[in-house]
Amino acid sequence: MGRRAGLTETKLRDLADFESSSEFSDVEKLVMRYAVGMTAAPLEVSDRLFDELRRHFDERQLVELTSAIAWENYRARFNHAFEIDAEGFSEGAFCPLPTASKSA
């Protein structure tokens, strides 16, 4: 799906360092900051960040974006808790893993 929507290998490789990458637009970086904040434990989404999102997305879009991020976090945490590993369906595909934060 990502490739059909224009996601390139370079963007995938730059995900871990999206802030300094020239591959992403300002809005894409904003969305990724939101995803990072929602994924943090405890959650770290400032009013300022959310206000900035509102400048680019309407309420319906924000609900969809937030639910998509929350769903992926749910799936990742559920699978991690039950030690569910990949089953090889995307074997050989490029799938960058997140880097550990400095505070972890």
Side-chain angles (χ1 to χ4, degrees):
M1 282 177 38
R3 284 185 182 24
R4 285 192 302 256
L7 188 60
T8 65
E9 291 289 321
T10 306
K11 275 190 171 182
L12 286 171
R13 285 190 191 96
D14 283 2
L15 274 174
D17 197 25
F18 72 89
E19 288 288 5
S20 63
S21 173
S22 61
E23 291 294 314
F24 299 100
S25 71
D26 290 340
V27 174
E28 288 172 321
K29 289 178 182 183
L30 178 65
V31 167
M32 286 187 277
R33 279 185 218 111
Y34 185 47
V36 168
M38 283 188 61
T39 304
L43 187 120
E44 296 176 4
V45 177
S46 68
D47 290 341
R48 182 175 179 218
L49 175 59
F50 205 79
D51 289 343
E52 183 69 19
L53 286 163
R54 285 182 185 213
R55 291 181 40 211
H56 298 279
F57 303 101
D58 63 31
E59 287 297 313
R60 178 173 263 157
Q61 291 169 319
L62 285 171
V63 168
E64 186 172 344
L65 175 61
T66 303
S67 65
I69 295 168
W71 176 250
E72 290 306 321
N73 277 315
Y74 166 83
R75 289 177 357 132
R77 290 170 191 235
F78 183 93
N79 290 348
H80 183 74
F82 283 96
E83 297 179 351
I84 298 172
D85 294 324
E87 296 196 13
F89 294 113
S90 59
E91 195 67 38
F94 183 74
C95 184
L97 296 174
T99 56
S101 68
K102 293 176 184 163
S103 62

